[in-house]
Amino acid sequence: MTVKTLKKIFFVLVGLVVVFVVVGFLLPRQRHVERSVFIDTPPSVVFSQVNGLQNFNDWSPWVALMPNAEYSFEGPAFGVGSKLSWSATEPKTQAGSQTISASSPYDRVDVELDFGDRGTAQSAYLLQPENGGTQLTWTFDTDFGLNIIDRYWGLLLERQLGPSFAQGLTNLKRIAEELPKVDWSDLEIGITEVPSTTIAYFTGSSGRDPDEIGAALGAAYGRVALFVSTNKLQMDGQPLAITNYWDERGWGFDAGIPVSGVPSRGVGPDSPVRMGETYGGRVVRAVHVGSHTTLEETHATIIAFITAHRLEAYGRNWEVFVSDPGSTPE
């Protein structure tokens, strides 16, 4: 091969490199991919599935592609700060993480994606009410900056990522539509922590008729109030009613009043009013406004909320009476 031929090859290669670089800089630095699906359940239910990352792998399209990957979770189970990380255990996979960066019930969740030396990206779940259900859109946005190689790779992003997003949404649709179709968007409800408190309480029962419940509670609180006064205790909170059972027998309850101090006369084994401690820890808490006639609906909504968030209910439930049922109109 002559020197002249070598020079021609050299200049051709240089020209190809120049063309590759120039074209690369002309390619879009930002790419956007999205897919949508209609889910026949309210936005509040769908939101519960995308507002936390501990359940992401239940419907993720990539779990089957990385069977040996190891996952770890950090932060809260739901909302801002919920984080999922995965390790690189196979040659074709890399370590990374995703973290919820913003959450707006019940219409949007934003996620920050970190792919290590491959860069970062942003994802979002957009929820729109539609015909009693939810139109859910899953988006992906990335900025390749001055990285020419990634800009060329961006030409394939729609083809590579789009089908995975569609499969993930199909998986999520199946899971969400198997949950109770209950909308809690108009109810003040959430997961919180409550402290344990000392109460004086009376164990009673009644039928399930609202009038019977009101009469039984009134009599029970009268006995507890007399006990509190007689024993020189101080009321330390709103009255509460702890449910022992709610079935064909009617309603069994503990009517309690939070107190501070030590009973001056003590509590004998035959005393109808006892001293005890309420549950302390994580709870699902809802605010019910209205009469006892609709309280059962609120309890059903709480159960639906627990089911959708894959929580496990244990122990007894209870009501705290913020306003006096005897003096507040229904």
Side-chain angles (χ1 to χ4, degrees), residues 32-325:
H32 174 85
V33 178
E34 69 174 52
R35 290 293 187 274
S36 298
V37 69
F38 174 78
I39 303 178
D40 189 19
T41 198
S44 56
V45 177
V46 178
F47 184 81
S48 71
Q49 304 307 298
V50 297
N51 190 43
L53 296 175
Q54 291 194 7
N55 302 318
F56 178 78
N57 286 343
D58 291 347
W59 55 271
S60 168
W62 298 293
V63 171
L65 302 178
M66 301 186 298
N68 298 318
E70 296 180 356
Y71 299 92
S72 61
F73 302 93
E74 300 176 48
F78 303 97
V80 176
S82 181
K83 180 178 181 180
L84 167 65
S85 301
W86 59 91
S87 61
T89 57
E90 299 175 1
K92 294 184 179 181
T93 63
Q94 293 193 3
S97 67
Q98 56 175 320
T99 307
I100 293 180
S101 57
S103 175
S104 176
Y106 295 96
D107 53 37
R108 184 181 181 116
V109 176
D110 290 283
V111 179
E112 291 291 333
L113 302 168
D114 186 346
F115 300 111
D117 56 9
R118 289 294 304 274
T120 61
Q122 294 75 43
S123 183
Y125 303 98
L126 311 177
L127 296 81
Q128 183 67 36
E130 184 175 303
N131 298 325
T134 307
Q135 186 71 20
L136 175 65
T137 300
W138 187 8
T139 71
F140 177 90
D141 290 276
T142 189
D143 188 333
F144 299 123
L146 300 178
N147 191 315
I148 298 175
I149 302 299
D150 281 351
R151 290 194 186 192
Y152 275 99
W153 177 76
L155 296 173
L156 304 175
L157 190 61
E158 172 71 30
R159 184 184 304 175
Q160 292 181 340
L161 199 57
S164 295
F165 270 35
Q167 182 59 58
L169 290 175
T170 298
N171 298 340
L172 179 58
K173 172 182 173 70
R174 173 181 51 80
I175 291 173
E177 291 183 346
E178 290 175 351
L179 296 171
K181 193 175 180 179
V182 177
D183 184 11
W184 56 77
S185 60
D186 60 348
L187 182 67
E188 184 180 331
I189 188 171
I191 302 170
T192 187
E193 296 274 340
V194 297
S196 177
T197 186
T198 301
I199 61 170
Y201 68 95
F202 174 82
T203 300
S205 62
S206 79
R208 296 171 59 159
D209 180 80
D211 290 336
E212 291 185 58
I213 290 174
L217 277 179
Y221 285 127
R223 302 184 76 160
V224 176
L226 178 61
F227 175 89
V228 170
S229 175
T230 301
N231 283 274
K232 297 181 172 56
L233 298 171
Q234 298 295 320
M235 291 185 59
D236 197 22
Q238 301 290 342
L240 52 89
I242 304 170
T243 295
N244 295 322
Y245 61 83
W246 177 270
D247 52 29
E248 67 281 354
R249 295 171 293 175
W251 183 41
F253 61 87
D254 289 338
I257 296 178
V259 296
S260 58
V262 178
S264 60
R265 297 187 178 184
V267 182
D270 298 327
S271 173
V273 177
R274 305 285 182 138
M275 298 290 292
E277 297 290 327
T278 64
Y279 166 83
R282 193 163 73 140
V283 300
V284 172
R285 172 185 174 273
V287 177
H288 172 85
V289 179
S291 70
H292 269 94
T293 58
T294 57
L295 187 57
E296 194 168 359
E297 298 175 13
T298 298
H299 278 285
T301 302
I302 292 174
I303 295 302
F305 182 96
I306 289 172
T307 301
H309 287 80
R310 294 175 174 80
L311 302 173
E312 181 179 353
Y314 70 96
R316 300 176 292 172
N317 59 64
W318 70 93
E319 291 118 32
V320 177
F321 298 100
V322 179
S323 55
D324 183 358

